Amino acid sequence: MVVCHCHAVSDREIRAQVANGALDAEQLAERCGVGDRCGGCASVVEAILVEEKVNLHGSLATAAA
Ligand code: FES
């Protein structure tokens, strides 16, 4: 599913970037551009970021760090 229409970035790409060490929305923007133009995808990007960190690290407390 395309999440960022400005840069044609999918949720899959965002999840891959988190798995490869992107820790926050700023780092995701640096790596693939998500959220750095209109900002319309920002809330979805943030939700995927938290979800993926929980999947990778196992808890919301760790994911928020
Ligand atoms: S939809 Fe992602 S920056 Fe515009």
Side-chain angles (χ1 to χ4, degrees), residues 42-64:
S43 61
V44 177
V45 169
E46 191 63 39
I48 292 171
L49 184 61
V50 170
E51 182 183 308
E52 203 57 25
K53 287 165 86 174
V54 168
N55 287 341
L56 289 170
H57 303 293
S59 78
L60 200 52
T62 306

Side-chain angles (χ1 to χ4, degrees), residues 13-27:
E13 171 67 15
I14 293 167
R15 292 178 201 284
Q17 293 296 341
V18 176
N20 286 322
L23 298 174
D24 55 30
E26 196 170 282
Q27 290 183 4

Side-chain angles (χ1 to χ4, degrees), residues 3-20:
V3 171
C4 179
H5 294 276
C6 291
H7 295 285
V9 177
S10 67
D11 62 319
R12 203 177 217 181
E13 171 67 15
I14 293 167
R15 292 178 201 284
Q17 293 296 341
V18 176
N20 286 322

Side-chain angles (χ1 to χ4, degrees), residues 4-6 35-39 41:
C4 179
H5 294 276
C6 291
D36 76 352
R37 196 168 291 170
C38 76
C41 60

